[in-house]
Amino acid sequence: MPRDETLQWGSRQSRAPQKIPLAHRLFAYGGFDFPFMLIVTVLMCAGLVMMFSASYVNALKHEGDAYYYIKRQGVFALLGVVAMLSISKINLNVLRKLAIPALLVAFLLLVVVLFYHTIFYDFKRWLPIGSRTNPILTVQPSEVAKMALVLFFAYAMERFQRPNHAIARDAVGARRFFLRWWSTGLYMFVLLAMVVLIALENHVSGMLITGAIGALMIFIGEQRIPLWLYAAGIGAAVLAVMFVFKNPEILGENAAARIISFQNPMSDPLGDDWQTYQSLLAVGSGGWFGRGFGNSIQKHLYLPEPQNDFVFAIVCEEIGFLGAACILLLFVALVWRGFMIALHTKEKFGCLLVIGIVLQVGLQTALNIGVVTAVLPNTGIPLPFFSYGGTALLMLMAEMGIVLAVSRVSREIKR
């Protein structure tokens, strides 16, 4: 065989694709981002401690066991840690393949809960496991939907945001319009369908959070939408809010009462304003340093359900402004560190995935504190890591695991 042919054959052999081991296709290797992990751990531990302090009086009164809420939340916290560490080892390619199935499961749960749900006022938010009146466990489909939406948007925006501009330029008329805008229409359709299903649950806060997360991800990931269209969307959102404030009855009796109460603050402190009034008393009475851990007065059956959406009011009362400010700084650090991970990620899928997750945490935190301090209407938005809720905590920890998985494949982040 001639020398040149031998060399040519050898070069072809060297370029032959190597088979990637199954373990490398399924699992991520390398270290995760330790600062992010540390922030998550501190927030989760602080949340469990403060949730217990806020809940034990209410638990003893209504459940006959002061440890009722913390035992259940503790179980989900342990499951959440296992989920976070397990998911942090998953390869991003596996997450890509789960994007569409996760979205389909989320839509299925959102539909099922409309027909089979716990019997609690006129809400259709919780899917019971067991009896509808006294379930063993409940699942909140809207929490699953938020994570599925972020996962799907990140997957689709990586796959479909590579428009063939040459084809679009050569096309004319309706075909050109379709080639340019069909992916944007897909995102809008998925987001609108999910928001409508959550609205049918009579879950205003879930609808607002999901809509906001989806809109922000479209703004960040969809690079072909002109700024004037974003401005028009913001204008339409503002008009929609103004219309709802003028006609709150369209949201249902419960939500309407809260909006009317917000428009007329402290007009009925013994009625519809009771929860907000007690929350402000708790926040204001904490002062700079608080009454001391466990010494809250408002949690003694004055503030309804203090372990849920208004747990931050008890935080302010017991550890004061300085302690609450430290917790808020931890949330800021979590979001900032998440953005650093996203910005140093080579793959667009991982970048958008992390941005969507930390935006969700940041939005929920800001809106919850706005409600607790009466800056926003009482819409029932939980505080991440702190509010009682097993499904919410489990899904949140799973999302933290996704961020850690992305951090394993990120470029080196400056400490």
Side-chain angles (χ1 to χ4, degrees), residues 308-327:
N308 288 331
D309 307 331
F310 283 81
V311 65
F312 191 72
I314 306 301
V315 171
C316 294
E317 186 180 10
E318 293 193 347
I319 64 177
F321 174 81
L322 293 179
C326 289
I327 288 175

Side-chain angles (χ1 to χ4, degrees), residues 359-370:
L359 278 177
Q360 175 189 333
V361 175
L363 278 172
Q364 284 195 206
T365 302
L367 293 175
N368 176 271
I369 294 169

Side-chain angles (χ1 to χ4, degrees), residues 140-186:
Q140 195 167 8
S142 60
E143 295 295 334
V144 180
K146 285 187 288 188
M147 187 175 77
L149 181 70
V150 171
L151 185 61
F152 173 75
F153 270 17
Y155 162 78
M157 287 175 181
E158 180 190 54
R159 180 172 181 179
F160 302 132
Q161 296 299 313
R162 301 169 182 168
N164 191 330
H165 294 290
I167 296 177
R169 282 196 301 267
D170 294 340
V172 293
R175 186 169 183 268
R176 180 176 183 178
F177 180 85
F178 175 79
L179 290 172
R180 184 173 175 83
W181 294 105
W182 76 269
S183 59
T184 306
L186 172 66

Side-chain angles (χ1 to χ4, degrees), residues 14 153 231 269 316 348 373 384:
S14 63
F153 270 17
C316 294
K348 187 172 184 178
T373 56

Side-chain angles (χ1 to χ4, degrees), residues 70-346:
I70 188 59
K71 286 190 295 187
R72 296 168 71 91
Q73 192 79 343
V75 170
F76 278 100
L78 290 176
L79 292 175
V81 170
V82 173
M84 177 182 68
L85 295 177
S86 301
I87 293 173
S88 73
K89 289 290 295 180
I90 294 180
N91 190 290
L92 292 188
N93 288 325
V94 177
L95 293 176
R96 284 188 180 92
K97 294 178 180 179
L98 292 175
I100 294 178
L103 185 70
L104 295 176
V105 169
F107 272 115
L108 177 63
L109 293 176
L110 289 174
V111 172
V112 170
V113 78
L114 296 177
F115 302 97
Y116 183 74
H117 50 82
T118 56
I119 301 174
F120 181 71
Y121 298 113
D122 57 345
F123 300 132
K124 303 175 183 177
R125 304 179 185 178
W126 296 277
L127 191 64
I129 299 177
S131 169
R132 296 179 64 186
T133 55
N134 188 25
I136 301 172
L137 187 67
T138 60
V139 176
Q140 195 167 8
S142 60
E143 295 295 334
V144 180
K146 285 187 288 188
M147 187 175 77
L149 181 70
V150 171
L151 185 61
F152 173 75
F153 270 17
Y155 162 78
M157 287 175 181
E158 180 190 54
R159 180 172 181 179
F160 302 132
Q161 296 299 313
R162 301 169 182 168
N164 191 330
H165 294 290
I167 296 177
R169 282 196 301 267
D170 294 340
V172 293
R175 186 169 183 268
R176 180 176 183 178
F177 180 85
F178 175 79
L179 290 172
R180 184 173 175 83
W181 294 105
W182 76 269
S183 59
T184 306
L186 172 66
Y187 309 142
M188 296 300 295
F189 173 79
V190 170
L191 178 59
L192 182 61
M194 188 168 287
V195 167
V196 168
L197 287 173
I198 295 174
L200 292 175
E201 298 176 4
N202 198 4
H203 192 183
V204 176
S205 61
M207 177 184 68
L208 292 174
I209 289 291
T210 305
I213 294 169
L216 286 172
M217 287 199 69
I218 292 174
F219 174 76
I220 294 169
E222 176 58 275
Q223 301 174 356
R224 287 173 288 170
I225 299 179
L227 289 177
W228 66 264
L229 194 56
Y230 285 118
I234 293 173
V238 171
L239 291 176
V241 171
M242 292 174 62
F243 178 78
V244 169
F245 269 74
K246 287 289 186 181
N247 307 274
E249 65 278 358
I250 66 174
L251 295 179
E253 183 179 350
N254 187 271
R258 295 181 178 186
I259 292 177
I260 293 171
S261 173
F262 177 76
Q263 293 173 328
N264 302 277
M266 298 303 120
S267 60
D268 187 16
L270 298 179
D272 291 334
D273 293 329
W274 175 260
Q275 193 172 31
T276 300
Y277 179 63
Q278 297 301 321
S279 173
L280 292 177
L281 284 178
V283 172
S285 63
W288 284 97
F289 303 102
R291 295 179 179 273
F293 177 72
N295 294 330
S296 167
I297 293 175
Q298 302 309 120
K299 70 183 179 185
H300 287 269
L301 307 182
Y302 292 102
L303 180 62
E305 301 291 332
Q307 73 277 1
N308 288 331
D309 307 331
F310 283 81
V311 65
F312 191 72
I314 306 301
V315 171
C316 294
E317 186 180 10
E318 293 193 347
I319 64 177
F321 174 81
L322 293 179
C326 289
I327 288 175
L328 291 182
L329 287 176
L330 283 173
F331 278 109
V332 172
L334 180 77
V335 174
W336 172 80
R337 194 64 190 176
F339 272 104
M340 290 299 100
I341 292 171
L343 292 175
H344 289 83
T345 300
K346 299 177 182 179

